[in-house]
Amino acid sequence: RGRRLLSVIIPVYDGAATLDPVLAALREQELDRELEIVIPLTPSRDDSREIALRHGARVLEVLPGEFDHGETRNRAALAARGDHLVFLSQ
């Protein structure tokens, strides 16, 4: 069987207060496959982007006027490479 990948998608806006511990906890999980973290990010006033990048997440830029709960998640799902997708809220 080929490479197996789990994609975790977390839309973020000004999420620095909780993002670091959430991403750290995800990275600590023992999985039977690789983990990809996808962050659709609306430009934040905090360091959410830097935190996401530090944890190896792939950041998808979402312009402020383009955020939509459904469409943003759909866009992230299309960009994800995983065999399975998990959606979290910040």
Side-chain angles (χ1 to χ4, degrees):
R1 221 171 144 156
R3 183 182 123 207
R4 295 174 20 163
L5 181 66
L6 173 69
S7 296
V8 177
I9 298 168
I10 311 170
V12 172
Y13 174 71
D14 285 345
T18 57
L19 192 58
D20 194 54
V22 167
L23 295 179
L26 282 173
R27 289 290 182 202
E28 291 173 5
Q29 297 298 305
E30 290 185 28
L31 302 170
D32 64 350
R33 64 195 64 213
E34 291 182 59
L35 175 66
E36 170 190 49
I37 300 172
V38 180
I39 306 284
L41 180 74
T42 302
S44 298
R45 297 167 290 189
D46 60 17
D47 61 346
S48 294
R49 178 181 181 70
E50 291 75 17
I51 292 169
L53 293 173
R54 186 170 65 241
H55 286 276
R58 189 155 48 108
V59 174
L60 304 177
E61 301 296 332
V62 179
L63 298 176
E66 293 180 358
F67 179 83
D68 173 88
H69 287 281
E71 182 59 33
T72 298
R73 283 169 177 79
N74 287 341
R75 180 177 159 217
L78 289 171
R81 298 180 299 239
D83 302 309
H84 295 91
L85 307 179
V86 174
F87 293 86
L88 299 179
S89 298
Q90 73 176 37

